[in-house]
Amino acid sequence: MHMLHFILIQSDRDLEAGEVFVLAADAIEPFRDEVFDWHAEGPGRWGQEYPAPLSFRKDPDRFRSELASIISGIECSRHDALDYLVRQLGLRSDSPAESLGRVLFGNAGSLPEHTLWAAIRFLKLMRGDYVPDSGFYDAIEGSARMTNPEQILQRDLGETEDFYLVPMDLHG
């Protein structure tokens, strides 16, 4: 399955698109076989929508807009993972969190393997681990967590530095 992931990187100089893709690929290489089994060089099948990495300095409005979309995607992944876990546990979607915890942790030894997998998937997404469902990896901080685009944009940039959002076509 092909997945669009965005990798956030920072460089101390203005880079050509090819250089940015190489840096992003290097940043996620430790996650090969855990998050993906291979990736396209660059945006792959998303090349029409994202022909090049997004540079904060060159297009701050689109960069901000894309960060907002990424946050929305992260929240959707978390919600979907929680919804799936709740269904696996046989609970109603409006069950209080205490019920979820009681059923999950009170019966962990007897839960089916797939239900435990669903719980681990949800917890990893909540913790900010980089997993196939993340869709985003902040190579600067080493995390898939982002709750506020302003926290990224408030980082200090020197005169020659730039942030790049790099679209990557990952296969997992």
Side-chain angles (χ1 to χ4, degrees), residues 67-127:
L67 282 177
S69 294
I70 290 168
I71 289 172
S72 177
I74 290 170
E75 289 302 316
C76 283
S77 291
R78 288 175 179 171
H79 176 75
D80 291 349
L82 177 59
D83 188 52
Y84 185 78
L85 175 59
V86 166
R87 286 194 320 269
Q88 288 296 309
L89 292 169
L91 299 172
R92 295 188 340 257
S93 61
D94 62 347
S95 297
E98 299 84 35
S99 297
L100 174 67
R102 201 169 24 259
V103 170
L104 182 61
F105 298 110
N107 300 310
S110 63
L111 291 173
E113 185 175 318
H114 195 74
T115 303
L116 292 173
W117 171 87
I120 291 167
R121 175 180 167 232
F122 173 70
L123 292 172
K124 284 183 174 187
L125 282 168
M126 292 303 294
R127 196 169 59 189

Side-chain angles (χ1 to χ4, degrees), residues 5 17 89 105 123 129 139 148 161:
H5 279 221
L89 292 169
F105 298 110
L123 292 172
D129 292 358
N148 178 356
E161 292 177 308

